[in-house]
Amino acid sequence: MRDESGRSLVEIIGILAIGAIMTAGAVSMYSMIHGNQTRAIAAANMEQLVRDTHILMQSRGDYSGISVDYLIKAGALKSDHAPIGGSWSVTAEEGGKKFAINLTELSVGECDYFITAIPQWAYAVRVNGLTIDASSADADNCFSSRTNQISFIVE
């Protein structure tokens, strides 16, 4: 009688299939974690921008003339790269009494993130032209394409 100690082809294919499923799950999980980390870093950067802008503009008494270029020249920003999304701007609102951080070309995931966790430093948030608050925030405000626009209004 002969003892066989090898594995069959079906067993090997089964092991490879399990490995492929586990790898796909790990890549998916990494992608989700990376996206959430990027959004959290962007939110922290914007909060720092709000603090720096308050300090910078405090002596003027209003926010008229504020822009990304102005903030770079004043040292409140390092570069003109958007914290998240495609392009962005910083503009004065209501005659210089407030300012807005405007983000464009956001994905639906980025849009959902910012409307479900509205920052405390934001006086109001506009998503695709609609002003929302914590009670009216839902996923219906975000488009499924990468064309979402969010404005954080700051006093």
Side-chain angles (χ1 to χ4, degrees):
M1 186 182 323
R2 198 169 107 176
D3 287 334
E4 294 185 24
S5 63
R7 302 283 181 230
S8 72
L9 184 58
V10 172
E11 290 174 323
I12 293 173
I13 290 174
I15 299 285
L16 291 175
I18 291 170
I21 291 169
M22 291 176 67
T23 301
V27 169
S28 172
M29 184 64 76
Y30 171 79
S31 177
M32 183 182 72
I33 291 170
H34 182 265
N36 287 340
Q37 247 345 75
T38 301
R39 294 175 190 124
I41 290 169
N45 287 345
M46 286 189 292
E47 184 176 2
Q48 182 64 43
L49 171 64
V50 168
R51 284 195 299 266
D52 291 348
T53 303
H54 280 303
I55 292 169
L56 178 66
M57 304 302 274
Q58 186 175 11
S59 62
R60 291 180 58 178
D62 70 356
Y63 298 105
S64 58
I66 194 168
S67 68
V68 171
D69 290 335
Y70 179 82
L71 293 171
I72 291 171
K73 290 175 185 172
L77 282 176
K78 294 179 183 175
S79 72
D80 62 350
H81 296 295
I84 198 165
S87 60
W88 74 307
S89 63
V90 179
T91 56
E93 297 267 325
E94 296 182 22
K97 294 179 183 172
K98 300 175 183 166
F99 69 95
I101 301 172
N102 309 298
L103 303 171
T104 60
E105 301 171 30
L106 297 172
S107 70
V108 67
E110 293 163 346
C111 181
D112 285 341
Y113 175 82
F114 285 113
I115 65 172
T116 55
I118 295 175
Q120 292 182 352
W121 47 262
Y123 171 77
V125 177
R126 275 194 306 260
V127 178
N128 298 320
L130 300 170
T131 302
I132 63 166
D133 58 20
S135 63
S136 66
D138 60 24
D140 293 341
N141 294 329
C142 297
F143 302 137
S144 60
S145 61
R146 198 166 177 86
T147 58
N148 293 293
Q149 300 176 355
I150 294 183
S151 296
F152 299 98
I153 314 302
V154 183
E155 284 188 298

